[in-house]
Amino acid sequence: MTYIFNMSKRAYTVEPVMDQDSVADVRIHINGKKWHLWGRKGADRERGLAETVTPGKLPVLLGAGLGVCIEELLKYGPVAVLDNDPLIAEASGADKFREHPQVTWLSGDPVQVLEQVREWREVNGNGPLELFKIPLYQRLDREWYLAIGNTIEDEKDSASVDFWSEVAFPKFRNKKPRVLFFHRPYFLMGEITSALERLGIEFRSVDIGTGDTVREGFVEDLLHCVVEFKPDFALTVNHFGVDCEGKLTDLLLKLKLPLASWFVDNPHLILYRYADVLPDLTAIFTYDAGNLDIMSKKGFANIFYLPLATDVKRFKPGIPGRDEWQADVSFLGNSMVHAVDKYLRLSELEAGLQQRIPDLATEFGERAELSVEEFLRNSHPELLNKMEKFPTDEHKLSFEALITWEATRRYRLSCVRELLPFNPLIVGDEGWHGLLETGSWHYLASLDYYNDLPRFYPMSKVGFNCTSRQMKGAVNQRVFDVPACGGFVLTDYREQMEALFEPGSEIISYNDISEIGPLLEKWLADDAGRAKVTAAARKRIMAEHTYEHRISILVEKMRQTFG
């Protein structure tokens, strides 16, 4: 199996450029552009590359090129050719050297290639290596050629290039482990790195990019960091960086590097792609204890409950806010209008099924099942059968997401309407204007989570919360953030909150939307009562619910499981 991520290697076609009866160059057609293996005088330039060889060193060529360099280097002895682009080698004719007795031609998994280079070096006297690079190949596929080339460069003058010995270091031998963090701009990234720093845990971040696939250079940086930093485990959020084919988890398995993946969104809406990826060295952490059974059914063996928390260095009392933020009651949240529209479009449902979405969403919102799939299996097996016949996994996911977000939209709207007699401040997207009648509420556009919310929450007498239907038993971020910065929160009851706060004294909740109005009247009139609940909640948060607490638990679970 190759570990080259097709997500970063671009597709291309090739054609030889002839000079009379010989190949003078290779033209590469890629993304509507024309690249050249060498350009003008390619054979001379490649021959000049070979002329720099140092006697007594073992030549390693990155990319087969025109075959000219290989032919010249063979004059000095054996040659290792590391080439993962057979189309170019075939077009140039360099592949004729593939079976030459003095040529070791290597391709495929870069970790295995490095091991084969070590073996080749030992067979040929264990002398120092000399690396020859044809520039085009690194431009064409950085993941492969740079990951290998940089490792060889780092170790070419050492006694041997033994990649496996470099990565076979013992794990969890120190009191505080070293963590390799897969980073991308997303909720919780800053909280995790800040918690690691405050706990004195050494870590290195590897950027995975912002797209659906990892960025170019990710594997190269990963391998380099494993060799240089020697982490005890890797950490990611929501399986970021993990491809559904299992290439990354297979690579981590070969590197004997455990992976912790902390899901802070519904894992069922993420892991639908990963049905066949069941790595032994992966631990799943989920913010919702109700997901443990779902993860177990997916085949994951190491599953742990790890709820959300807050960053008390950021969410703290005493930070002044703006006058326009003052309100008796406020609600900050998305209307879900655009999310529903998006997944309705992406699911491409037939008209009859589209018409059933409102009723299905309402029913799903009232049921105990955490996933739409389980809900359909129990109540609408004919629809589950129809969903299983959708053309792609993306259509299935979009259908499940559509029902989830429409259920959330309907529930959230019914809750917010209970606030209208109290002239609430609604902060969110413009979709609220199409859902709520004018005149009985005030509107603010969405605020910045990090810069605004620690100042915004204490400006309301009551911060109202109603939880997404993707988390039916878990509590969301707001029940930690609001009290942490000195605000009072009224939230919907969630079963898992009882293990986190003392109901009635540290957290106030409603079980039904009919309770919202009376509870608001009660707590708006009780300034001392609100302050007492907030103080108790903040004391509990400081003692048990910071991200330092969560990371400490995660680290210890990883040590117990893989140490």
Side-chain angles (χ1 to χ4, degrees):
M1 176 181 288
T2 176
Y3 292 102
I4 302 309
F5 284 26
N6 291 331
M7 54 189 77
S8 61
K9 183 171 182 175
R10 294 164 286 188
Y12 62 87
T13 59
V14 300
E15 61 174 319
V17 178
M18 306 302 295
D19 182 6
Q20 297 180 358
D21 295 330
S22 62
V23 178
D25 195 17
V26 175
R27 187 178 294 119
I28 296 102
H29 299 271
I30 182 169
N31 294 339
K33 299 179 181 179
K34 294 180 182 179
W35 293 0
H36 288 268
L37 177 58
W38 281 108
R40 294 173 58 84
K41 299 184 178 180
D44 291 341
R45 294 168 68 183
E46 196 166 302
R47 188 174 293 109
L49 183 65
E51 290 175 356
T52 63
V53 66
T54 303
K57 290 191 175 184
L58 295 170
V60 178
L61 181 62
L62 274 183
L66 296 171
V68 175
C69 190
I70 298 175
E71 187 171 19
E72 293 296 317
L73 291 174
L74 283 170
K75 297 176 180 178
Y76 300 93
V79 180
V81 178
L82 315 186
D83 186 285
N84 209 45
D85 288 273
L87 289 179
I88 298 176
E90 181 180 355
S92 70
D95 63 350
K96 67 184 179 183
F97 292 103
R98 185 185 292 269
E99 303 301 327
H100 192 285
Q102 288 286 84
V103 172
T104 297
W105 193 291
L106 303 175
S107 62
D109 173 5
V111 176
Q112 293 181 357
V113 167
L114 288 166
E115 175 66 8
Q116 291 166 326
V117 169
R118 182 191 66 80
E119 294 172 355
W120 172 79
R121 183 179 184 181
E122 288 181 351
V123 168
N124 288 282
N126 215 22
L129 302 178
E130 186 161 17
L131 194 61
F132 297 86
K133 303 175 184 179
I134 297 178
L136 179 279
Y137 291 92
Q138 296 174 71
R139 180 185 179 196
L140 192 64
D141 187 357
R142 287 176 54 88
E143 291 285 1
W144 201 85
Y145 293 97
L146 276 181
I148 292 173
N150 285 350
T151 302
I152 293 176
E153 284 281 10
D154 289 342
E155 305 179 5
K156 63 185 179 181
D157 295 321
S158 62
S160 65
V161 181
D162 187 352
F163 182 82
W164 291 112
S165 68
E166 289 288 334
V167 299
F169 50 87
K171 309 296 192 298
F172 299 100
R173 293 297 180 90
N174 298 316
K175 184 177 180 181
K176 293 183 178 180
R178 292 184 167 198
V179 178
L180 177 59
F181 185 44
F182 296 163
H183 183 274
R184 70 176 293 174
Y186 193 72
F187 162 69
L188 210 63
M189 294 294 175
E191 287 84 345
I192 289 175
T193 54
S194 294
L196 289 169
E197 289 173 353
R198 290 168 193 153
L199 290 169
I201 296 175
E202 287 189 79
F203 70 96
R204 296 289 184 275
S205 293
V206 178
D207 180 28
I208 63 175
T210 58
D212 293 335
T213 59
V214 297
R215 66 169 175 83
E216 188 174 320
F218 169 72
V219 172
E220 169 205 345
D221 290 346
L222 168 63
L223 293 175
H224 182 76
C225 197
V226 169
V227 171
E228 293 298 316
F229 180 57
K230 292 182 169 46
D232 293 289
F233 69 93
L235 171 61
T236 189
V237 171
N238 284 357
H239 249 35
F240 290 146
V242 180
D243 59 300
C244 56
E245 294 85 5
K247 295 174 182 177
L248 177 67
T249 50
D250 280 352
L251 177 57
L252 295 177
L253 193 61
K254 281 183 169 288
L255 296 171
K256 298 181 180 179
L257 184 66
L259 173 68
S261 187
W262 188 4
F263 282 87
V264 296
D265 291 305
N266 190 340
H268 184 72
L269 296 180
I270 299 171
L271 285 177
Y272 78 102
R273 299 172 181 261
Y274 299 85
D276 299 321
V277 182
L278 306 173
D280 294 333
L281 289 181
T282 294
I284 299 293
F285 295 82
T286 173
Y287 72 109
D288 188 344
N291 288 322
L292 298 178
D293 184 56
I294 294 176
M295 297 296 95
S296 180
K297 290 179 180 178
K298 283 282 184 181
F300 289 94
N302 306 305
I303 318 164
F304 305 101
Y305 170 50
L306 193 67
L308 298 173
T310 192
D311 182 349
V312 294
K313 299 297 184 181
R314 186 182 301 273
F315 285 86
K316 57 186 178 181
I319 308 175
R322 301 176 186 173
D323 291 342
E324 64 194 79
W325 292 347
Q326 288 186 336
D328 282 348
V329 180
S330 67
F331 173 70
L332 185 148
N334 195 285
S335 71
M336 307 309 296
V337 168
H338 300 303
V340 169
D341 289 346
K342 172 185 175 181
Y343 287 106
L344 180 62
R345 183 179 69 256
L346 292 176
S347 59
E348 298 181 332
L349 301 178
E350 60 185 38
L353 188 51
Q354 278 193 33
Q355 294 173 0
R356 296 188 62 181
I357 293 299
D359 290 340
L360 289 170
T362 299
E363 185 180 355
F364 171 67
E366 295 171 350
R367 295 289 295 269
E369 292 93 344
L370 297 180
S371 73
V372 171
E373 180 182 7
E374 194 69 18
F375 159 66
L376 294 178
R377 179 176 292 109
N378 293 337
S379 301
H380 301 279
E382 79 286 356
L383 290 183
L384 178 63
N385 183 57
K386 181 176 287 190
M387 185 182 80
E388 294 298 336
K389 294 178 181 178
F390 284 175
T392 66
D393 283 341
E394 284 71 19
H395 286 87
K396 297 175 188 176
L397 171 68
S398 296
F399 179 61
E400 293 192 54
L402 171 61
I403 293 177
T404 302
W405 299 137
E406 174 62 9
T408 299
R409 186 193 71 81
R410 287 172 167 267
Y411 171 66
R412 188 167 287 180
L413 178 59
S414 67
C415 291
V416 170
R417 280 179 172 155
E418 297 296 315
L419 308 182
L420 296 183
F422 301 90
N423 195 27
L425 174 62
I426 308 296
V427 182
D429 61 292
E430 294 183 353
W432 287 112
H433 292 293
L435 298 177
L436 298 173
E437 53 272 23
T438 58
S440 56
W441 56 288
H442 301 283
Y443 173 76
L444 278 178
S446 298
L447 298 174
D448 182 81
Y449 177 78
Y450 293 107
N451 295 323
D452 294 332
L453 294 196
R455 301 184 296 145
F456 171 80
Y457 285 141
M459 299 292 286
S460 302
K461 291 182 179 180
V462 175
F464 182 76
N465 183 51
C466 53
T467 314
S468 165
R469 285 317 207 196
Q470 73 161 328
M471 44 197 310
K472 292 185 176 181
V475 299
N476 62 15
Q477 185 76 29
R478 194 163 304 154
V479 302
F480 301 106
D481 288 345
V482 176
C485 59
F488 176 89
V489 63
L490 173 63
T491 185
D492 43 0
Y493 175 79
R494 286 294 179 266
E495 181 181 357
Q496 293 164 38
M497 71 170 51
E498 293 189 14
L500 302 169
F501 296 98
E502 183 65 35
S505 60
E506 295 176 342
I507 192 165
I508 306 299
S509 63
Y510 56 93
N511 288 279
D512 186 84
I513 62 172
S514 63
E515 301 175 2
I516 294 174
L519 283 171
L520 284 175
E521 290 180 355
K522 167 183 168 60
W523 289 102
L524 284 172
D526 189 356
D527 293 350
R530 293 197 313 272
K532 184 177 180 180
V533 171
T534 296
R538 189 170 194 278
K539 182 178 180 181
R540 176 63 68 98
I541 289 167
M542 296 294 291
E544 299 180 12
H545 303 316
T546 70
Y547 278 110
E548 288 91 322
H549 291 112
R550 301 295 187 255
I551 293 299
S552 295
I553 292 171
L554 184 148
V555 165
E556 188 56 31
K557 292 293 184 184
M558 293 298 288
R559 184 189 300 277
Q560 293 172 359
T561 305
F562 303 112

